[in-house]
Structures are given as structure tokens and as C-alpha cells.
Amino acid sequence: MKLGIVGLPNVGKSTLFNAITNAGAESANYPFCTIDPNVGTVAVPDERLDFLAEMYSPKKYTPAVIEFVDIAGLVKGASKGEGLGNKFLSNIRMTDAIIHVVRCFDDENVIHVEGNTDPLRDIEIINLELIMADMEMVERRVDKAKKAAKGGDRKFLHEAEVMEGLLAHMNDGKLARSYDCPPEDREIIEESELLTLKPVIYAANMDEKGFSDGPENNAYYKLLEKYALAEGSQVLPICAKVEQEIGELDDEDKALFMEELGMSESGLSRLIKCSYSLLGLISFLTCGPDEVRAWTIRKGTKAPQAAGKIHTDFERGFIRAEIVAFDDLKNCGTMAVARDKGLIRSEGKEYVMHDGDVTLFRFNV
């Protein structure tokens, strides 16, 4: 999973990126500090995997991972090449979802490229640039479909009609993901990998006081929450500065610091949960003396396709999956006890995987 961290210059993108990846992206109080996209790979914290590691003491411990890409700040006119323009937009196209960092605090010592704090205006600036960049792609797609349809090919005629309908929608300043159309037309649209089709998490970046007072007392956050709810996106209250401080502490000091702040989990953990929920992802687990590992799949994936994540031979020669729910295994303490209690199930090709399934695939090729 690859997530792009975006926003206007100086809203806290690189600070947040540094905090959650410890990748050392430069952070400074002026636009375009992040010239190239910084990439950091983060292991997904999973207490279930830790438990299995204690049970088996495996040679290898492999958690699920998320790749975060910190992308240079966007300004008005980016779709036409202003600022870092097209470079920024091409980097976004390679991500699965967007974490849009929005400034939700006032500080006269931190420059705001638009002069003052206004979360909704900031969102609209970026959305407009993404829409304009997408419209160019849609126009090219319409032209290509019309040329291909000159011989009367109904498939390309229909494609041109679908994309023209989307173009009219976007011409009103609306995002591609808000375009209402039949599922078969949506499949045509999704072939274009449009920027405004990507799901979004709004990271409401607050200062330390605003974060400790609670997001419900932050007027900027409340505006952002209402906006996100209306478009079906998620919003996550966060303080990039606090997260950076947490990331610099060892585990013991980190726990004490978070307790003082009344935080039950880090911003990274909350962000990962939001990302999995947004993209409809779950994890199943495999374990043994050689390796314990978490595998990320989409909700609704059936057992053979889940097996295929491990190796194509597993899917091709799938016989059955032996599965125990993690909570059942934890309560039993060992796999042997779980088996004695009849908690290990044998599932076939139609079984839909669940989050936390501890799985052994049987196959034959």
C-alpha cells in the first residue's frame, strides 16, 4: 500500500512524514523545501503478530508494510506547471490513497502561502488543481475514443459518452469520485487512474495546545470534519509536532509521554487503521518456526486468492485452508489446545477471509 502525503506548503507534511517514518525528510519554514518525493516504508504495528512471534520464536518476523510518499507542497497553478506542478501531480498518480494534511492552527511565526489559516480554502485550492489536471487526461481520453470509434465501434462510442459526461461534471468544479454513474461506466472511468478518484484521509494538523484541548474544541477541525463527512472521506486529528517528539523517544519514555498527553495510541497507529478502513483492507496471519507474517488483502477475498498472495502455486493447487481465529488461538495459548477444542476449521474455495485469520493453506501442484 502506498500513501501520498500532500498539502499546501508549510502545513506540516514533512514534519508528519518525519514523525511516522523517521526517514529524515528535510523540514523547514519555507515553500518547496521537499524538492523530491521522500519515501519511507513503515512496518504496520500488529500485536497479534507479536503474540505469534512469542509463541514460535521464528527465524523471521515479517509485518505488513505501508509506503509513505512525502510530496512537495502544491500551490495555485500547479496543473499548469506552477511551483513544482506536474512533478507533484505525477507523484500522486502512483499512490493508492491520499493523506491530505490541512493546517488547523494559527501561528504568526509559521508562514502560510495564502496569508491566513482557512482549511476549506486550502482544500479547494488543491482540489481545483487536481480537477484541472484530471480534465486534461479526460479530454485526451475522449479524443482517443472518438478516433477509435470512427468505424462505428459502439464500445468506443460509449466510452466517449461516459468520459464526456464525467468531463461536464468536473467542469463544474466537482471531483471524479463524486460522479454518479452505473458500475460498468465506473469501470471505464477507473481505467484512467484519475487523481480525484483516489480516496482521501484529511489529517487535521493542530498545534500542541489545540490537540491537548481536544479536536471538538477546535473550530478549524469542526469545519473540516463537516466537510469530510459530506464527501464521504475520513478525517484524523493529529499534531505533527507531538508525533515528531514521540518518534524521537525510546519505548519506555514514549509510553510515559503518551500517557501524560492522554493518548492511547500513536498517530501512526491511528493513521494506519484509517488507511486500512478507507481502502477496505484486512490482514490474515501465517505462523511457524520459520516465519510469522501478516498478509494484506481486500475485504471479501476468498481463501484461494488469499493463498495466491503467498505464491501463485498455492492458489493454483488450492485444496483447503486450515483456519483459527486469532482471538481463539490467543485464549487457548497454543495451536495444539486450539485443535483439541475443535477451534481449527477446514475451509474450502468459497470461504471469505476474515481479519486476523491464522491460516495454513493446503495445496497440491
Side-chain angles (χ1 to χ4, degrees):
M1 178 164 55
K2 184 180 285 189
L3 304 175
I5 303 177
V6 306
L8 290 173
N10 291 345
V11 296
K13 300 184 316 305
S14 294
T15 302
L16 180 61
F17 174 80
N18 289 345
I20 60 180
T21 66
N22 290 321
E26 185 184 359
S27 176
N29 182 25
Y30 56 89
F32 309 130
C33 169
T34 311
I35 301 300
D36 294 311
N38 292 277
V39 180
T41 301
V42 175
V44 175
D46 195 332
E47 293 178 353
R48 302 171 303 188
L49 209 59
D50 296 338
F51 177 86
L52 294 175
E54 287 183 18
M55 181 185 293
Y56 284 95
S57 299
K59 297 174 185 175
K60 193 175 180 182
Y61 176 98
T62 311
V65 295
I66 294 180
E67 191 173 282
F68 289 95
V69 184
D70 176 33
I71 299 170
L74 182 65
V75 295
K76 286 179 180 176
S79 60
K80 301 299 181 184
E82 292 296 324
L84 295 173
N86 295 328
K87 184 178 178 66
F88 167 95
L89 297 170
S90 65
N91 290 331
I92 286 188
R93 292 195 192 280
M94 297 185 294
T95 63
D96 299 306
I98 294 172
I99 300 167
H100 187 158
V101 182
V102 184
R103 182 163 148 183
C104 291
F105 66 91
D106 295 310
D107 187 339
E108 60 184 19
N109 296 315
V110 180
I111 299 166
H112 194 296
V113 291
E114 291 298 318
N116 67 310
T117 304
D118 184 340
L120 303 190
R121 176 207 58 210
D122 294 355
I123 290 171
E124 291 301 327
I125 288 172
I126 285 189
N127 279 350
L128 183 58
E129 296 304 325
L130 300 185
I131 288 168
M132 291 173 70
D134 276 353
M135 286 177 68
E136 288 186 17
M137 286 193 70
V138 174
E139 285 169 353
R140 289 199 295 270
R141 182 88 181 267
V142 169
D143 290 342
K144 187 177 178 180
K146 284 184 174 179
K147 286 177 183 176
K150 282 185 177 178
D153 190 315
R154 290 187 178 182
K155 174 188 171 184
F156 291 109
L157 284 171
H158 180 64
E159 181 180 325
E161 289 174 3
V162 169
M163 301 309 284
E164 283 180 329
L166 175 62
L167 190 61
H169 174 82
M170 299 182 76
N171 203 38
D172 290 334
K174 297 175 182 176
L175 305 171
R177 63 178 177 270
S178 68
Y179 184 53
D180 188 22
C181 62
E184 57 271 21
D185 291 352
R186 173 66 59 176
E187 288 181 14
I188 293 172
I189 291 170
E190 288 178 349
E191 290 173 5
S192 297
E193 297 182 345
L194 300 176
L195 298 168
T196 59
L197 278 178
K198 295 184 184 296
V200 175
I201 297 171
Y202 294 107
N205 187 25
M206 306 177 189
D207 59 13
E208 292 176 86
K209 184 181 184 306
F211 187 71
S212 62
D213 287 345
E216 67 278 359
N217 296 311
N218 184 301
Y220 294 133
Y221 174 81
K222 289 168 78 172
L223 280 172
L224 181 56
E225 185 178 43
K226 184 178 179 181
Y227 181 93
L229 182 65
E231 71 167 27
S233 296
Q234 297 196 25
V235 60
L236 181 74
I238 204 163
C239 176
K241 189 175 180 183
V242 165
E243 294 300 327
Q244 190 170 41
E245 291 173 2
I246 290 172
E248 294 168 355
L249 299 172
D250 59 37
D251 289 345
E252 187 176 339
D253 290 338
K254 185 183 298 184
L256 288 170
F257 183 56
M258 288 174 60
E259 187 178 341
E260 288 175 8
L261 293 173
M263 295 173 62
S264 59
E265 56 184 343
S266 70
L268 173 59
S269 293
R270 292 187 294 119
L271 185 55
I272 288 172
K273 286 179 181 177
C274 264
S275 303
Y276 268 65
S277 174
L278 184 72
L279 295 172
L281 302 176
I282 60 172
S283 293
F284 72 90
L285 313 170
T286 54
C287 57
D290 289 331
E291 182 181 32
V292 296
R293 181 162 181 167
W295 303 85
T296 302
I297 55 173
R298 292 199 176 275
K299 287 180 183 176
T301 299
K302 292 184 178 180
Q305 286 69 52
K309 287 284 289 185
I310 299 174
H311 197 285
T312 53
D313 283 351
F314 283 32
E315 180 176 359
R316 185 161 57 92
F318 179 87
I319 299 172
R320 67 180 184 276
E322 294 179 4
I323 292 174
V324 57
F326 173 79
D327 288 341
D328 288 340
L329 176 58
K330 184 177 180 181
N331 290 335
C332 291
T334 68
M335 198 68 78
V337 173
R339 190 176 299 277
D340 288 343
K341 291 187 175 182
L343 295 173
I344 299 179
R345 312 182 312 274
S346 180
E347 302 288 357
K349 293 183 177 181
E350 295 305 310
Y351 176 73
V352 175
M353 301 293 291
H354 292 83
D355 189 46
D357 277 348
V358 181
T359 310
L360 173 64
F361 292 109
R362 298 292 185 184
F363 71 102
N364 182 36
V365 290

